[in-house]
Amino acid sequence: MENQQYEKDVRNAVEVMRKGGVILYPTDTVWGIGCDATNPEAVKKVFEIKQREDSKALICLVDSEARLQRYVRDVPNVAWDIIELSTKPVTIILDGATNLAHNVMAEDGSVAMRVTKEPFSNLLCYRFQKAIVSTSANISGQPPAANYRDIAPELLEAVDYVCTSRRQEKKPHTPSGIIRLKPNGEVEVVRK
């Protein structure tokens, strides 16, 4: 039953994102505001909804290591180890971003990417066939929405589609860890 609900929900969300719309969806961490990470107009809407300066880079989700390689020119070997060995969701900041909206990337050309293994967000990324923006579902400066019930009403009204899956959850979800891989091979922990 859950899979059928996921399928319909994913179809609806994908259709909205293909038209340049913005969605609210459950991820492998907290609820996220998402859109097509290759569409600069859609990304601009996300910044407006969050009331956040667009000089800050956004995290993007993908469903697989293969898809990650479409958006980063040269993924260092250590990134594969981190993805494989990590026991909790980890976002990796990588240099050499490509094929993404200019306003998703940081000014230095890097991008924050995460391969999601959680069933709903993984299926969403797989069906969309592109990177999806995943920024926490909150107005900038406020706490992220761990569960659907934590999402501010103004956010629910500001997006084009709100996913129906996983709305009943009441779990302690937290944002991902963030690691920056520097060109010299050095690893910097940005957020534990």
Side-chain angles (χ1 to χ4, degrees):
M1 182 66 202
E2 190 173 82
N3 278 357
Q4 285 178 326
Q5 180 197 351
Y6 276 12
E7 284 290 343
K8 183 178 180 203
D9 203 12
V10 163
R11 261 196 318 271
N12 293 339
V14 164
E15 192 176 312
V16 167
M17 288 190 292
R18 283 200 178 124
K19 293 176 181 169
V22 176
I23 65 167
L24 275 172
Y25 68 111
T27 74
D28 52 344
T29 59
V30 296
W31 270 70
I33 301 173
C35 71
D36 177 350
T38 68
N39 180 334
E41 287 304 309
V43 172
K44 185 177 172 207
K45 288 184 207 170
V46 170
F47 281 114
E48 288 167 359
I49 289 168
K50 277 191 72 85
Q51 299 170 25
R52 178 174 163 176
E53 331 164 12
D54 62 6
S55 60
K56 286 186 163 187
L58 295 170
I59 292 172
C60 296
L61 284 189
V62 290
D63 63 308
S64 65
E65 287 84 353
R67 186 121 29 234
L68 173 65
Q69 290 180 294
R70 288 186 190 176
Y71 301 109
V72 178
R73 282 187 194 90
D74 186 25
V75 180
N77 286 335
V78 69
W80 305 125
D81 295 338
I82 291 168
I83 292 166
E84 188 182 323
L85 302 172
S86 163
T87 55
K88 71 175 210 158
V90 64
T91 299
I92 304 173
I93 300 172
L94 297 157
D95 288 318
T98 186
N99 302 321
L100 291 164
H102 66 89
N103 46 354
V104 165
M105 300 180 272
E107 288 176 10
D108 65 1
S110 66
V111 65
M113 301 288 289
R114 188 164 76 245
V115 177
T116 177
K117 295 172 182 144
E118 181 276 323
F120 181 82
S121 54
N122 181 274
L123 181 62
L124 182 64
C125 291
Y126 174 74
R127 291 274 192 264
F128 191 56
Q129 296 285 296
K130 292 183 192 177
I132 298 174
V133 165
S134 179
T135 183
S136 55
N138 61 323
I139 302 295
S140 195
Q142 294 181 359
N147 295 287
Y148 173 76
R149 65 189 177 142
D150 304 322
I151 300 170
E154 63 262 35
L155 286 184
L156 295 170
E157 291 167 21
V159 299
D160 302 297
Y161 181 73
V162 181
C163 289
T164 56
S165 300
R166 293 182 44 206
R167 284 191 183 184
Q168 306 310 317
E169 281 183 358
K170 293 177 182 155
K171 294 181 180 175
H173 295 284
T174 55
S176 69
I178 299 178
I179 292 173
R180 176 169 192 110
L181 296 184
K182 296 184 177 176
N184 64 3
E186 195 181 314
V187 176
E188 176 192 351
V189 176
V190 177
R191 181 172 73 196
K192 283 187 179 186

